[in-house]
Amino acid sequence: MLHTAESINRLGTESAFDVLAQAQKLAAQGKDIINLGIGQPDFRTPDHIVEAGIKALRDGHHGYTPANGIPALREAVAADLGKRHNVSVNPDNVVVVPGGKPTMFFAVLMFGEPGAEIMYPNPGFPIYESVINYSGATPVPIALKEENGFAFDAEAVLAQITPATRLIIINSPANPTGGVTPKEEIDRLVAGLADHPHVAILSDEIYSQMLYDGREHVSLLQYPEIRDRLIMLDGWSKTYAMTGWRLGYAVWPDALVDHAVRLCINDHSCVNAASQYAGLAALTGPQDAVHEMVAAFDQRRQIIVSELNRIPGFRCADAAGAFYAFPNIEGTGLTARQAQDKFLNEAGVATIAGTSFGAWGEGYIRFSYAASIDSIQEAIRRIRECL
Ligand code: PLP
């Protein structure tokens, strides 16, 4: 009988991958499946980025790189953040990792242990709660509510801070809700954090370029008063349609950056060189493809939100950012999980139950609208029919 560590049983998962496997199995049996489950752009990585990755391999970039990323890439990240958010970032504080997830894992491992509390959005990206549980810390949900446009309420967050709180995770624009937290609320949170200097912040800004209706992204980097305890996560996966390249980064504060690099060395040594050169081309090359993708998402968003609101029993809030719609489905009489199963098995449409993103997601399901307009319209038609 093998004796695994007890902690491994506390690790959760991201159900989007399970639904993807289920959908692929049904498709292999000949069923026509429309996949609005997994959260990844349906576009190809732009050609000039692919070419830069190929060229790096041809040029012989086959070996290890520095654990925190090649210097040119970290400098390009700092320049990009300067341009987009009007902030000054030292490339030495940038740590390049294989995707968005490693930064979450590292931040939670750095602060989480039994007796510690870590706050996280709920419904939110499922990996936050999973790794908090894994670390042994107590997960303290920040409830995100439809009536607030799924933005967090700064007063409510501040009221939950205790002497044991070590880290607060926030995510805007948000997965799974598409919610964007307004600047006033972020201002209030940052002002209140002055009374709690023992609390660090992980701001997951992976959807920082996907906001609609003229909204502008507010980066937590824009608040100098918390820079010494802020971890800001962003990356290439969503912005440049590069989910499979496994490339992301975070800006770490001086006090934590060496710990982060040590975690990289212990975990993965470095990101593969070709992806890093591709990421460099993404940041320094033309941004037209990004603007085109965001414009396409915006068009689909308007269609899906209005169509979802026309399904009896559905009520869909405005999706202000990212590429997700998160309708309330209580009026159908189905639980979130029943709806997910019914839509997949009877309508051939893959969606994700809101409860996959935490207990506060009951009554909701997530649609990723990173799919063609035709397939979105067909998916909605089939769901209406099966209901
Ligand atoms: N953060 C959020 C909020 C996400 O939705 C995702 C992916 O879905 C990630 C991070 C992880 O991105 P990556 O695929 O780069 O690890």
Side-chain angles (χ1 to χ4, degrees):
M1 184 73 171
L2 302 178
H3 193 141
T4 54
E6 191 256 325
S7 53
I8 198 70
N9 299 316
R10 296 197 300 264
L11 205 54
T13 187
E14 187 182 350
S15 319
F17 283 96
D18 298 338
V19 174
L20 179 66
Q22 251 177 299
Q24 283 170 340
K25 199 166 144 202
L26 289 170
Q29 290 163 7
K31 289 230 170 108
D32 176 22
I33 304 293
I34 301 176
N35 196 344
L36 305 184
I38 195 91
Q40 73 176 331
D42 56 323
F43 298 102
R44 286 168 55 93
T45 304
D47 286 344
H48 70 284
I49 301 176
V50 174
E51 290 307 322
I54 295 170
K55 181 172 183 306
L57 290 172
R58 293 231 164 88
D59 287 350
H61 294 291
H62 303 166
Y64 293 125
T65 77
N68 55 349
I70 53 176
L73 183 58
R74 289 185 291 103
E75 279 159 23
V77 166
D80 177 59
L81 292 170
K83 206 162 47 190
R84 290 196 292 125
H85 304 324
N86 196 23
V87 293
S88 160
V89 169
N90 182 342
D92 290 343
N93 292 83
V94 174
V95 179
V96 175
V97 283
K101 279 177 177 166
T103 296
M104 288 169 207
F105 205 65
F106 293 174
V108 171
L109 286 187
M110 249 179 240
F111 289 100
E113 61 186 343
E117 292 176 8
I118 299 183
M119 291 167 65
Y120 70 102
N122 188 331
F125 191 53
I127 299 308
Y128 308 139
E129 188 179 347
S130 163
V131 294
I132 296 168
N133 280 323
Y134 180 70
S135 76
T138 304
V140 178
I142 299 171
L144 299 181
K145 304 202 179 122
E146 187 184 344
E147 61 263 33
N148 296 335
F150 296 110
F152 64 73
D153 171 346
E155 290 304 317
V157 175
L158 293 165
Q160 293 191 90
I161 294 178
T162 74
T165 307
R166 297 210 184 152
L167 177 70
I168 297 178
I169 304 176
I170 58 174
N171 169 224
S172 175
N175 179 7
T177 62
V180 171
T181 298
K183 180 170 185 305
E184 308 80 72
E185 216 56 54
I186 300 176
D187 289 348
R188 273 196 278 273
L189 177 70
V190 172
L193 284 172
D195 297 332
H196 306 285
H198 64 292
V199 176
I201 305 105
L202 167 61
S203 180
D204 181 343
E205 303 184 14
I206 198 118
Y207 298 101
S208 61
Q209 304 226 40
M210 290 169 188
L211 286 86
Y212 310 107
D213 294 334
R215 289 180 182 83
E216 283 197 15
H217 180 62
V218 181
S219 173
L220 272 279
L221 284 173
Q222 290 159 336
Y223 296 83
E225 58 272 49
I226 53 164
R227 282 290 287 275
D228 61 349
R229 48 183 164 140
L230 171 70
I231 305 156
M232 197 289 291
L233 178 167
D234 201 337
W236 289 260
S237 296
K238 317 287 174 173
T239 311
Y240 297 99
M242 292 179 70
T243 51
W245 295 73
R246 307 315 300 139
L247 189 65
Y249 67 84
V251 179
W252 292 83
D254 292 339
L256 302 178
V257 66
D258 289 346
H259 296 314
V261 177
R262 199 164 273 218
L263 280 162
C264 293
I265 293 169
N266 277 268
D267 179 65
H268 56 267
S269 296
C270 62
V271 178
N272 75 83
S275 284
Q276 293 191 59
Y277 281 95
L280 179 59
L283 293 181
T284 55
Q287 302 298 303
D288 310 3
V290 177
H291 302 142
E292 282 160 25
M293 281 190 272
V294 174
F297 287 142
D298 189 14
Q299 197 188 5
R300 297 156 178 196
R301 171 186 79 103
Q302 295 178 36
I303 292 169
I304 197 166
V305 170
S306 95
E307 293 282 321
L308 287 171
N309 274 313
R310 290 173 46 210
I311 301 178
F314 275 52
R315 180 181 70 226
C316 187
D318 177 35
F323 40 66
Y324 306 109
F326 200 61
N328 180 307
I329 54 136
E330 280 164 348
T332 62
L334 299 168
T335 64
R337 187 54 206 255
Q338 285 168 339
Q340 173 190 304
D341 291 341
K342 185 176 174 72
F343 299 159
L344 181 59
N345 295 316
E346 296 176 26
V349 178
T351 61
I352 313 282
T355 40
S356 299
F357 305 96
W360 287 87
E362 185 53 279
Y364 296 87
I365 50 172
R366 188 189 80 173
F367 287 77
S368 161
Y369 55 82
S372 73
I373 291 176
D374 283 351
S375 50
I376 290 170
Q377 283 172 331
E378 172 62 10
I380 305 272
R381 190 195 63 72
R382 290 193 201 170
I383 287 176
R384 193 181 288 122
E385 196 174 273
C386 99
L387 283 170

